């Protein structure tokens, strides 16, 4: 799986940028603020969701002259070629076309798989549970494309139920249909997440890697999380009184937390050093990529923003070797080409600058 062409029009800092590449890893270098991460963000929008920055469509628009933006890409996946277009006008929700036909964002998850690691994720293990759930759901989505729709349906039903709770509605008839939908989709979300964790555990077992293995588990929240639809519905009905007092739903997969442990040391990830936490994140991204390669026969697209700057020379070399062994097209950013020296001719190089735009570079 790889992109052979990517065009950005009025996207972030890029008025117009065209990138033509092959399946090898791509090292993108340039000064801070030149627009390197913006290219990675464009690639991340070849998958469902709001991209690696979780930005609104309005915030992605180049200013001040543009009223919208457009991306176009040629994706090679499973021996098929797809033309993908994504755009937004006047800040409206982004739209998608696949092979010239309008499509829902969730359809992207069936043809492309994109994983990323960005600097803001470095604090994953020590900040709130919401970021860890989002990290877990991105991994889950890579294995199970329908996970995105289940999550959307669950969130919609929960918002409607929470509105009833805030309005202190007590008639059970108002809740029945919403709770039935939440029980069905919530159970699916929980099952999908457990499937993803099992895939990651298998991919880490016996893997030849320079990065530490992580043991992952789900913490279901203070009130627990039922395992089947019937028990889920019953639990929600029984908990309405407490939910009314809180003004929100207190049971469900939206309360789950991801718990990580540095396996070799048996130390919780939150208690590890900054370097160890970063190494665990890299390890999980690589394990996710290995698992996808084993399941689908092709590695995903990898987006690694400034990852080289936070690893020592030996770890950088190990990372590049593992990426090349996977055969993954990894889009990586750094301020200096020297950060990618170990890749040599195994990679292709793009120089990004505010004055010259984006251009390929041949490095010795």
């Amino acid at each position: 799986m790889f992109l052979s062409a990517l065009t950005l029009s009025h996207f972030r800092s890029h008025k117009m940028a065209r990138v033509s590449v092959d399946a090898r890893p791509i090292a993108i270098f340039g000064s801070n603020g030149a627009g390197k991460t913006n290219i990675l963000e464009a690639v991340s929008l070849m998958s469902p969701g709001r991209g690696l920055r979780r930005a609104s469509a309005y915030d992605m628009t180049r200013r001040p002259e543009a009223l919208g933006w457009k991306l176009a890409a040629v994706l090679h996946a499973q021996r098929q070629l797809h033309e993908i277009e994504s755009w937004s006008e006047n800040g409206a929700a982004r739209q998608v076309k696949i092979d010239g036909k309008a499509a829902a964002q969730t359809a992207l998850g069936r043809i492309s798989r994109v994983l990323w690691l960005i600097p803001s994720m470095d604090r994953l293990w020590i900040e709130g549970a919401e970021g860890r759930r989002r990290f877990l759901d991105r991994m889950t989505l890579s294995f199970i494309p329908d996970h995105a729709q289940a999550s959307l349906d669950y969130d919609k039903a929960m918002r409607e139920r929470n509105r009833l709770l805030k309005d202190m509605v007590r008639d059970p008839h108002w809740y029945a249909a919403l709770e039935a939908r939440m029980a069905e989709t919530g159970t699916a979300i929980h099952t999908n997440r457990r499937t993803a964790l099992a895939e990651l555990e298998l991919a880490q077992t016996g893997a030849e890697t320079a990065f530490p293995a992580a043991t992952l588990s789900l913490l279901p929240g203070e009130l627990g999380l039922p395992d089947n639809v019937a028990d889920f519905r019953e639990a929600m009905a029984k908990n309405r009184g407490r939910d009314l007092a809180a003004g929100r739903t207190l049971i469900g997969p939206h309360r789950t937390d991801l718990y990580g442990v540095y396996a070799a040391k048996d130390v919780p990830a939150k208690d590890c050093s900054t370097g160890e936490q970063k190494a665990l994140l890299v390890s999980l991204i690589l394990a996710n990529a290995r698992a996808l390669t084993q399941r689908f026969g092709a590695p995903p697209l990898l987006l690694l923003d400034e990852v080289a700057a936070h690893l020592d020379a030996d770890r950088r070399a190990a990372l590049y070797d593992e990426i090349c062994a996977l055969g993954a097209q990894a889009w990586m950013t750094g301020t200096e080409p020297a950060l990618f020296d170990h890749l040599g001719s195994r990679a292709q190089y793009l120089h990004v600058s505010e004055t010259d735009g984006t251009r390929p570079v041949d490095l010795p």
Side-chain angles (χ1 to χ4, degrees), residues 284-331:
L284 287 173
I285 294 296
L286 292 173
N288 196 169
R290 286 195 300 272
L292 290 170
T293 304
Q294 292 164 6
R295 177 184 268 210
F296 299 107
L301 299 173
L302 298 178
L303 309 179
L304 306 174
D305 191 22
E306 300 291 350
V307 69
H310 301 283
L311 299 174
D312 59 37
D314 289 341
R315 276 270 170 83
R316 283 202 302 269
L319 173 62
Y320 299 154
D321 288 344
E322 291 193 37
I323 288 171
C324 292
L326 275 170
Q329 187 188 60
W331 297 65

Side-chain angles (χ1 to χ4, degrees), residues 194-218:
R194 290 194 298 187
T195 298
L197 292 189
E199 293 276 3
L200 289 170
E201 181 179 1
L202 183 62
Q204 292 185 95
T205 303
E208 295 183 7
T209 176
F211 294 89
T215 302
L216 301 177
S217 57
L218 296 176

Side-chain angles (χ1 to χ4, degrees), residues 133-149:
R133 281 193 298 271
R134 192 157 52 241
F135 179 72
L136 172 60
D137 284 333
R138 287 299 312 179
M139 292 191 294
T140 303
L141 176 64
S142 72
F143 294 108
I144 306 168
D146 290 342
H147 185 69
Q149 191 61 55

Side-chain angles (χ1 to χ4, degrees), residues 165 168 240-248:
L165 295 169
M168 300 299 290
R240 275 184 213 142
R242 185 178 292 190
D243 290 351
L244 279 163
R248 65 186 188 279

Side-chain angles (χ1 to χ4, degrees), residues 140-200:
T140 303
L141 176 64
S142 72
F143 294 108
I144 306 168
D146 290 342
H147 185 69
Q149 191 61 55
S151 298
L152 290 171
D153 292 345
Y154 178 85
D155 288 345
K156 180 180 179 182
M158 184 173 66
R159 285 196 301 271
E160 294 178 14
R161 185 177 188 269
N162 286 348
R163 192 175 299 115
L164 295 177
L165 295 169
K166 289 177 181 177
D167 291 342
M168 300 299 290
V169 175
R170 298 182 181 274
D171 186 343
H173 293 92
W174 286 92
Y175 291 93
L178 293 173
E179 290 174 353
R181 198 185 321 159
M182 289 180 67
E184 181 178 351
T185 55
T187 301
I189 290 169
H190 187 52
T191 300
N192 293 345
R193 286 172 173 173
R194 290 194 298 187
T195 298
L197 292 189
E199 293 276 3
L200 289 170

Side-chain angles (χ1 to χ4, degrees), residues 224-306:
L225 184 60
D227 286 329
N228 60 68
V229 175
D231 288 348
F232 201 137
R233 290 185 65 177
E234 182 180 355
M236 294 190 76
K238 286 183 177 180
N239 205 58
R240 275 184 213 142
R242 185 178 292 190
D243 290 351
L244 279 163
R248 65 186 188 279
T249 302
L250 299 176
I251 294 176
H254 64 288
R255 305 284 290 183
T256 298
D257 197 356
L258 177 66
Y259 183 69
V261 174
Y262 190 129
K265 296 185 176 182
D266 195 27
V267 175
K270 65 182 179 65
D271 296 330
C272 291
S273 70
T274 301
E276 288 172 335
Q277 290 176 352
K278 182 73 172 189
L280 286 171
L281 284 173
V282 173
S283 178
L284 287 173
I285 294 296
L286 292 173
N288 196 169
R290 286 195 300 272
L292 290 170
T293 304
Q294 292 164 6
R295 177 184 268 210
F296 299 107
L301 299 173
L302 298 178
L303 309 179
L304 306 174
D305 191 22
E306 300 291 350

